[in-house]
Amino acid sequence: MTSSSSWVPGVTPDTPFSLANIPFGIISTKDDPTPRPAVAIGSHALDLEALNGESSLGEIVPELKGHENVFQQTTLNAFAALGRPVHQQVRKALRDLLTAGSSHAAKLQENEELKQKALIPLGQVKMHMPMAIGDYTDFYAGYHHAFAVGSMFRGPAAALQPNYTHLPVGYHGRASSIVVSGTPVRRPWGQILLDPTAEPKQPTTAPCRRLDFELELGCFISTPNEQGTPVGIGEAEDHIFGYVLLNDWSARDIQSWEYVPLGPFNSKNFASTISPWVVLADALEPFRAKGIENKTPVQDYMKEAKAETAIDISLEVDITTPEGDTTTITRTSAKQLMWSFPQMIAHHTLGGCNMRTGDMLGSGTISGTEPGERGSLLELSEGGKKDVMLYGMDMRRFLKDGDTVTIRGVCGGNGEKVGFGECTGRIYSAVQR
Amino acid sequence: MTSSSSWVPGVTPDTPFSLANIPFGIISTKDDPTPRPAVAIGSHALDLEALNGESSLGEIVPELKGHENVFQQTTLNAFAALGRPVHQQVRKALRDLLTAGSSHAAKLQENEELKQKALIPLGQVKMHMPMAIGDYTDFYAGYHHAFAVGSMFRGPAAALQPNYTHLPVGYHGRASSIVVSGTPVRRPWGQILLDPTAEPKQPTTAPCRRLDFELELGCFISTPNEQGTPVGIGEAEDHIFGYVLLNDWSARDIQSWEYVPLGPFNSKNFASTISPWVVLADALEPFRAKGIENKTPVQDYMKEAKAETAIDISLEVDITTPEGDTTTITRTSAKQLMWSFPQMIAHHTLGGCNMRTGDMLGSGTISGTEPGERGSLLELSEGGKKDVMLYGMDMRRFLKDGDTVTIRGVCGGNGEKVGFGECTGRIYSAVQR
């Protein structure tokens, strides 16, 4: 954390993009529609391609020398692949450059032409997918969510399988349909049991009636491991590039019919939304916290040296109705996870599975224990049985066409906030058939 | 099918790479280690980069004009993305070029320098992954396999879920660990219940003891669909590029402990092997056959106009022991599927999931009903309870270190065979920990 201030205009105390953050994303502008890397500072994006073209970041960051072309790419993958020590140095150098009175600040602050070109108001940039995602794995590490949803699908006695406390349960998700915040989400069609109790079971093909969000944290892989070579728990941190907010949209009626025995499929693969700025792992170090205690002794390959393996990010979910009324329906923390990302990586690679730069891991839905802390409508509405009250005399059990779901996440106090920006998506009506 | 003959030396009547086939792959050679597209003819590869560089395929195939750079790529994705009409024309033109006495044959046959450069004995080429695979989806359309394995995991009464005959059950697989035939496969470690009956359940971390193969067919997507826009059953065929043999290696002991409730994960993601030559959809048209009858009426979006929606490919699986003895343990047909690939595509995209060029669909394990027709050791050994007899007085329930599994697939009679070449992989011992 830092309490120094930036010379960039408009870096207010409440900005999620303080000097303590320096998150990376992919931007384009009207003048230059080619997507390119940038960092966010206050209400501006700093265009790294423009900056690097004029002042060579390699001169400030020796570790970057010879690799400056990572900022002439349409994704952050090449930068991520350079590894954590380089990310640390680059982030530090950029912070220096943006800090009032620092040794390097003049290089940008006093170069009016470069400033004009490289410092762009966020309102004028379009955000793109930050990474090319090879594989997406979704875990299920939110214990309170797993218990609550498991109870609904299978009853409380079988809510959690015997494996739940021994390994981070996860499944392979769909990479192609992950979209950046702001992308419209179309209500999916699917096979649905209109009467789940009738025998024999007879599905209907219809638009989803139980469309839901899932509040998750996404984690990007930086350096790959070779196929056949597991990542040890001690090295797993070094394979993490950074984090985004993740909304793993879910069609609950499609899910309950399709998911046995091979897991969720069409109920999840129509869309997942991520926030556009990748907050680097180092920016979140000061916010380490204990996660949910696992009373079961874990296998050696997942035993961690540190006690604080979760991250205390304050998370909120808003629903905005088609009429424009916004209600915050969930407030919780990313520390509500029973497995850490290093444990997920160690488990995922135990059998030799190779992770590639840009692969994304989802945490699983994050829920607290209280009614207002639940990370999905399925939980908030108790399985669709109870109305969730919204402003404007409105209510929801599941999402309506025209609803917008927005996830926000932030750590730290005023002047040194580390936040994610918004992860938002609006529901459009199902395709006409 | 064709009964004409090729002027290329060594195109024997029993070659799987007859004029009726013309499969596409990615090759490299000692002299030129850059991977590049080729087709197989008899015992030769025809280097398409070399051919196109000298004689411009675009002159012979008007549809290819302006797109000739698809043969200067390290994968077939760019060619696949051109769509089925172009694949048809290019395959036809190449067949012409290789057919004795055809109008275009002279262009290659009488150009000694080009022939020397472009026609390379298969023994001198290294095969690479034919496609860059974005997402891999594994279906479960082999009814006899699903029933047999379901019976072992859950008992015969619950072997097939009520959804099985209503939708092609599938799950998202791992794309990063798909390897080309010949790549060594390391025995995975995993969490295993040494005594599955003991309570409470206590896993051990150990190398897999029940390592298995799965005989499958893989299908590659050519043209993509937009997110939110389903592919109709009538257009699904046009989105298919071609097929490969697929061995979806499976760790049965890891699988039985981990797979509830979200499906297989580490039990499958350590490796999947594919054959290197992609047999185009058109080459398999003459071998259409009826699949396994589904007595349940299917939903409209999966109703097909044609009755013959499966492909009658003769499939065999060999096990070769470390001592070098080979036994064919399985003989069946790819028509033993209850769902067709067009149905899988229509279902996969029903909710709007976007498929990209190069995405791969697995059929699920293909098994017949008889003992010698089963596509996995789990079935052949009746859940690991019975020895499978091999040559050399040897026997197996599951795979040993040093075993090689080879899948072969071929259609058609002598002189006009359409085959896949081998899909082979050898098991190496687990990592030392």
Side-chain angles (χ1 to χ4, degrees):
Chain A
M1 276 186 278
T2 170
S3 52
S4 43
S5 64
S6 176
W7 55 262
V8 177
V11 182
T12 54
D14 64 340
T15 178
F17 306 136
S18 74
L19 282 173
N21 193 351
I22 318 286
F24 287 70
I26 296 289
I27 64 163
S28 71
T29 48
K30 253 191 194 163
D31 293 344
D32 183 356
T34 306
R36 55 199 187 270
V39 293
I41 177 73
S43 53
H44 287 81
L46 175 62
D47 180 335
L48 295 180
E49 189 182 38
L51 179 71
N52 187 56
E54 300 249 345
S55 69
S56 181
L57 274 169
E59 280 171 34
I60 313 178
V61 186
E63 291 84 353
L64 198 62
K65 212 144 200 171
H67 300 291
E68 288 100 334
N69 64 354
V70 299
F71 295 130
Q72 291 162 331
Q73 311 283 330
T74 58
T75 69
L76 297 172
N77 290 48
F79 175 55
L82 296 179
R84 190 141 172 187
V86 178
H87 309 154
Q88 284 170 343
Q89 294 304 316
V90 171
R91 178 167 162 267
K92 190 171 165 296
L94 291 169
R95 191 159 57 188
D96 252 29
L97 204 62
L98 297 165
T99 300
S102 82
S103 52
H104 290 304
K107 292 190 187 182
L108 178 59
Q109 191 177 5
E110 289 167 20
N111 185 337
E112 282 303 324
E113 198 188 339
L114 178 59
K115 249 185 359 191
Q116 192 66 25
K117 202 175 150 191
L119 264 183
I120 311 167
L122 285 176
Q124 292 173 26
V125 304
K126 184 181 166 187
M127 300 304 301
H128 299 262
M129 279 289 286
M131 309 285 282
I133 301 172
D135 279 289
Y136 160 41
T137 302
D138 199 17
F139 284 92
Y140 198 49
Y143 177 91
H144 304 308
H145 167 79
F147 185 82
V149 172
S151 300
M152 286 174 219
F153 278 89
R154 292 175 297 276
L160 294 179
Q161 301 296 325
N163 59 19
Y164 190 86
T165 58
H166 290 282
L167 54 82
V169 170
Y171 70 103
H172 303 116
R174 181 80 189 177
S176 73
S177 54
I178 301 173
V179 296
V180 74
S181 180
T183 307
V185 173
R186 204 171 263 293
R187 179 181 300 273
W189 284 72
Q191 281 197 23
I192 293 164
L193 292 183
L194 293 183
D195 180 358
T197 60
E199 293 291 347
K201 303 210 179 293
Q202 181 53 53
T204 303
T205 303
C208 168
R209 296 167 185 214
R210 293 163 72 97
L211 188 57
D212 202 356
F213 68 89
E214 286 192 334
L215 166 61
E216 300 197 23
L217 197 61
C219 171
F220 282 111
I221 298 297
S222 55
T223 45
N225 65 301
E226 246 180 82
Q227 195 165 357
T229 306
V231 175
I233 184 77
E235 295 95 55
E237 289 271 1
D238 294 337
H239 290 261
I240 296 176
F241 176 53
Y243 298 88
V244 288
L245 303 174
L246 165 63
N247 181 347
D248 196 39
W249 304 96
S250 298
R252 300 301 181 189
D253 39 6
I254 299 172
Q255 184 176 359
S256 59
W257 168 234
E258 75 174 2
Y259 91 105
V260 179
L262 299 182
F265 186 58
N266 278 355
S267 55
K268 302 273 192 172
N269 66 20
F270 58 98
S272 312
T273 302
I274 60 172
S275 58
W277 295 102
V278 180
V279 176
L280 298 197
D282 281 298
L284 293 167
E285 276 295 322
F287 308 104
R288 282 181 171 275
K290 277 194 182 163
I292 296 173
E293 192 191 350
N294 184 356
K295 286 173 187 149
T296 304
V298 300
Q299 303 280 306
D300 285 348
Y301 73 92
M302 288 192 291
K303 276 188 185 144
E304 292 182 278
K306 296 172 188 164
E308 300 194 321
T309 59
I311 316 169
D312 187 10
I313 307 166
S314 298
L315 300 168
E316 291 184 345
V317 182
D318 288 352
I319 288 185
T320 303
T321 62
E323 294 74 31
D325 293 315
T326 295
T327 312
T328 301
I329 55 168
T330 303
R331 287 186 177 85
T332 182
S333 162
K335 72 181 177 183
Q336 296 283 19
L337 295 171
M338 208 189 70
W339 297 99
S340 71
F341 282 101
Q343 286 177 320
M344 295 177 207
I345 292 169
H347 180 68
H348 202 323
T349 61
L350 172 65
C353 182
N354 53 320
M355 318 212 78
R356 296 176 294 189
T357 301
D359 286 350
M360 190 173 89
L361 311 178
S363 61
T365 305
I366 301 167
S367 290
T369 50
E370 300 303 308
E373 298 178 353
R374 292 168 180 163
S376 69
L377 278 169
L378 185 65
E379 293 159 89
L380 288 161
S381 71
E382 296 175 15
K385 294 195 190 90
K386 223 185 98 180
D387 290 319
V388 178
M389 301 309 296
L390 305 180
Y391 274 119
M393 306 280 284
D394 215 343
M395 54 190 82
R396 289 287 181 281
R397 296 186 183 190
F398 293 99
L399 296 169
K400 277 192 182 173
D401 291 349
D403 283 351
T404 300
V405 178
T406 303
I407 304 176
R408 284 185 310 278
V410 71
C411 314
N414 266 0
E416 46 194 30
K417 286 191 173 177
V418 174
F420 287 80
E422 287 183 349
C423 172
T424 188
R426 187 175 186 190
I427 304 301
Y428 285 69
S429 58
V431 181
Q432 294 291 322
R433 290 176 77 96
Chain B
M1 277 185 278
T2 171
S3 52
S4 42
S5 64
S6 177
W7 55 262
V8 177
V11 182
T12 54
D14 63 338
T15 180
F17 306 136
S18 74
L19 282 173
N21 193 350
I22 317 287
F24 286 70
I26 296 290
I27 63 163
S28 70
T29 47
K30 251 191 195 164
D31 293 345
D32 183 356
T34 306
R36 55 199 187 270
V39 292
I41 177 72
S43 54
H44 287 81
L46 175 62
D47 180 334
L48 295 179
E49 188 181 39
L51 178 71
N52 186 56
E54 300 249 345
S55 69
S56 182
L57 274 169
E59 281 171 33
I60 313 178
V61 187
E63 291 83 352
L64 197 61
K65 214 145 198 170
H67 300 292
E68 287 101 334
N69 65 353
V70 298
F71 295 131
Q72 291 164 329
Q73 310 284 330
T74 58
T75 67
L76 297 171
N77 289 48
F79 175 55
L82 296 180
R84 191 141 172 188
V86 178
H87 309 153
Q88 284 170 342
Q89 295 304 318
V90 171
R91 179 168 161 266
K92 190 171 166 296
L94 290 170
R95 191 159 58 187
D96 252 28
L97 204 62
L98 297 166
T99 299
S102 84
S103 52
H104 289 306
K107 293 192 186 181
L108 179 58
Q109 191 177 4
E110 289 167 20
N111 184 337
E112 283 303 325
E113 199 188 338
L114 178 58
K115 248 184 0 189
Q116 192 66 26
K117 204 175 150 191
L119 264 182
I120 310 168
L122 286 177
Q124 293 173 25
V125 304
K126 185 182 167 187
M127 299 305 301
H128 299 262
M129 278 290 285
M131 308 285 283
I133 300 172
D135 279 289
Y136 161 41
T137 302
D138 200 16
F139 284 92
Y140 198 49
Y143 176 90
H144 304 308
H145 167 80
F147 185 82
V149 172
S151 299
M152 286 175 218
F153 279 90
R154 292 175 297 276
L160 294 180
Q161 301 295 325
N163 60 18
Y164 190 85
T165 58
H166 290 283
L167 54 82
V169 170
Y171 70 102
H172 303 114
R174 180 81 190 175
S176 73
S177 56
I178 301 174
V179 296
V180 73
S181 179
T183 307
V185 173
R186 204 171 264 292
R187 179 182 298 275
W189 284 72
Q191 281 198 23
I192 293 165
L193 292 184
L194 294 183
D195 180 358
T197 59
E199 292 292 344
K201 303 210 180 293
Q202 181 53 53
T204 304
T205 303
C208 168
R209 296 167 185 214
R210 292 163 72 98
L211 187 58
D212 201 355
F213 69 89
E214 284 193 335
L215 166 61
E216 299 198 24
L217 198 60
C219 171
F220 281 112
I221 297 298
S222 54
T223 44
N225 65 301
E226 243 181 83
Q227 194 165 357
T229 305
V231 175
I233 184 76
E235 295 94 57
E237 289 270 2
D238 295 336
H239 290 262
I240 296 177
F241 177 51
Y243 298 88
V244 288
L245 304 174
L246 166 63
N247 181 346
D248 196 40
W249 305 95
S250 297
R252 300 300 182 189
D253 39 7
I254 299 171
Q255 185 175 359
S256 58
W257 169 234
E258 76 174 1
Y259 91 104
V260 179
L262 298 183
F265 186 57
N266 278 355
S267 55
K268 303 272 192 172
N269 67 20
F270 56 99
S272 313
T273 303
I274 60 170
S275 57
W277 295 103
V278 180
V279 176
L280 297 198
D282 282 298
L284 294 167
E285 275 296 321
F287 309 103
R288 280 182 172 276
K290 278 194 180 162
I292 296 173
E293 192 191 348
N294 184 357
K295 287 172 188 151
T296 303
V298 301
Q299 303 281 308
D300 285 346
Y301 74 91
M302 287 193 290
K303 276 189 185 143
E304 293 182 276
K306 295 173 188 165
E308 301 194 319
T309 59
I311 316 169
D312 188 10
I313 306 166
S314 297
L315 299 168
E316 292 185 344
V317 182
D318 289 350
I319 290 186
T320 303
T321 63
E323 294 75 30
D325 293 316
T326 296
T327 312
T328 300
I329 56 166
T330 302
R331 287 186 178 85
T332 184
S333 162
K335 72 182 178 185
Q336 297 282 20
L337 295 171
M338 207 189 72
W339 297 99
S340 72
F341 283 102
Q343 286 177 320
M344 296 177 208
I345 292 169
H347 179 67
H348 202 322
T349 61
L350 172 65
C353 181
N354 53 322
M355 318 211 77
R356 296 176 294 189
T357 301
D359 285 352
M360 191 173 89
L361 310 179
S363 60
T365 304
I366 301 168
S367 291
T369 50
E370 299 304 308
E373 299 178 353
R374 291 167 182 165
S376 69
L377 278 169
L378 185 65
E379 292 158 90
L380 288 160
S381 71
E382 295 175 16
K385 294 195 190 90
K386 224 185 96 181
D387 290 319
V388 178
M389 302 309 295
L390 305 180
Y391 275 118
M393 307 280 285
D394 214 344
M395 54 190 81
R396 289 288 181 280
R397 297 187 182 189
F398 293 99
L399 296 169
K400 276 192 182 173
D401 290 350
D403 283 351
T404 301
V405 177
T406 304
I407 303 177
R408 285 186 309 278
V410 71
C411 312
N414 265 0
E416 46 194 31
K417 285 190 174 178
V418 174
F420 288 79
E422 288 183 348
C423 173
T424 189
R426 187 175 187 190
I427 303 302
Y428 285 69
S429 58
V431 182
Q432 295 290 322
R433 290 178 76 98

